Amino acid sequence: MPWQVTALKAAGVAVCVGLALIGDRRQLLLAGIAAVGFAVLAVRDLFAPVRLAVGDDGLVVAGLAGKERISWNDVDRIRVDSRRRYGLTTELLEIDAGEQIHLFSRFDLGESVFDVAETLMRLRP
């Protein structure tokens, strides 16, 4: 993950805290919620910078709650979901593992979702 994205999230925390301090009660509430959201994302980036790892026996998905191992046998489908809305294109790597669906953006992976999907398909037995 690029360090600039984490720094931008930390700056979002600072801006929201500043807005909360100078505003009325509603602004305090909204800016406080936004600050907590930015803080959670920034902390996740610091403590789980590698969100997806590949091994011989399957995948390892990491997050704030810890790491989860997914066997290759449990992976039903790997695909890229690309959507265009309001002039912006959003691309997500979707890993369907039975009753779980894991979604990763370019920022979660540190690389193009298309490249990661291609690599996963090549490594998948």
Side-chain angles (χ1 to χ4, degrees), residues 14-77:
V15 168
C16 289
V17 167
L19 289 172
L21 293 175
I22 63 171
D24 59 1
R25 285 186 181 182
R26 281 183 283 184
Q27 190 170 338
L28 171 69
L29 177 67
L30 293 175
I33 291 170
V36 169
F38 278 123
V40 167
L41 293 175
V43 168
R44 182 199 65 186
D45 291 351
L46 294 174
F47 288 106
V50 178
R51 301 279 322 277
L52 180 66
V54 180
D56 292 335
D57 56 342
L59 305 172
V60 178
V61 178
L64 282 177
K67 293 181 181 178
E68 178 182 354
R69 296 190 180 280
I70 302 170
S71 169
W72 282 119
N73 295 332
D74 295 334
V75 176
D76 295 330
R77 184 171 63 164

Side-chain angles (χ1 to χ4, degrees), residues 46-109:
L46 294 174
F47 288 106
V50 178
R51 301 279 322 277
L52 180 66
V54 180
D56 292 335
D57 56 342
L59 305 172
V60 178
V61 178
L64 282 177
K67 293 181 181 178
E68 178 182 354
R69 296 190 180 280
I70 302 170
S71 169
W72 282 119
N73 295 332
D74 295 334
V75 176
D76 295 330
R77 184 171 63 164
I78 298 170
R79 73 180 193 103
V80 174
D81 181 32
S82 182
R83 296 176 190 252
R84 186 161 177 82
R85 185 177 209 174
Y86 303 121
L88 299 173
T89 302
T90 304
E91 298 164 344
L92 293 174
L93 174 65
E94 181 180 303
I95 299 174
D96 185 356
E99 296 192 13
Q100 298 176 337
I101 295 179
H102 300 277
L103 301 172
F104 301 95
S105 70
R106 176 176 54 98
F107 297 112
D108 293 326
L109 300 169

